[in-house]
Amino acid sequence: MARRRLRSSTVVLGGMGLLALTITSCGSEPDKRCADRANLEHLPSYECDTYDGKGDHYYGGKIEGGTVWGGSFDKSAVERDGFGCSGSGGG
């Protein structure tokens, strides 16, 4: 009887599932973007990465209409637990 061989697409899809699980595992970082604290305007990342930039990192949430919302400037307020993790999280 002939042995059945896995197709490369099956292997790739299995690998993608493993990658997705790894990304959402414990200790995963929340999304980070740059924003102006005064008006929540979404800014280019260099505004947060330079000493004299006018932005701060904003964690989680979304960008809509050039404004960030639904997250926090406090990273610990939006830490999330991944698959199989326990503890409090969310924000």
Side-chain angles (χ1 to χ4, degrees):
M1 183 172 229
R3 290 178 61 183
R4 185 174 175 187
R5 299 183 70 178
L6 292 176
R7 293 183 177 188
S8 61
S9 61
T10 303
V11 174
V12 169
L13 289 175
M16 292 299 286
L18 182 60
L19 177 62
L21 183 61
T22 301
I23 290 172
T24 60
S25 66
C26 288
S28 63
E29 293 286 318
D31 292 338
K32 177 174 73 171
R33 50 194 50 92
C34 188
D36 186 326
R37 279 188 177 268
N39 59 14
L40 298 180
E41 175 189 3
H42 179 241
L43 301 171
S45 61
Y46 67 83
E47 290 288 356
C48 286
D49 296 336
T50 60
Y51 175 75
D52 58 348
K54 68 176 186 174
D56 283 318
H57 288 114
Y58 186 85
Y59 299 94
K62 298 179 183 185
I63 303 169
E64 193 170 291
T67 303
V68 295
W69 64 277
S72 175
F73 286 103
D74 179 9
K75 182 178 177 182
S76 64
V78 295
E79 288 288 353
R80 57 182 181 222
D81 291 329
F83 178 76
C85 301
S86 61
S88 61

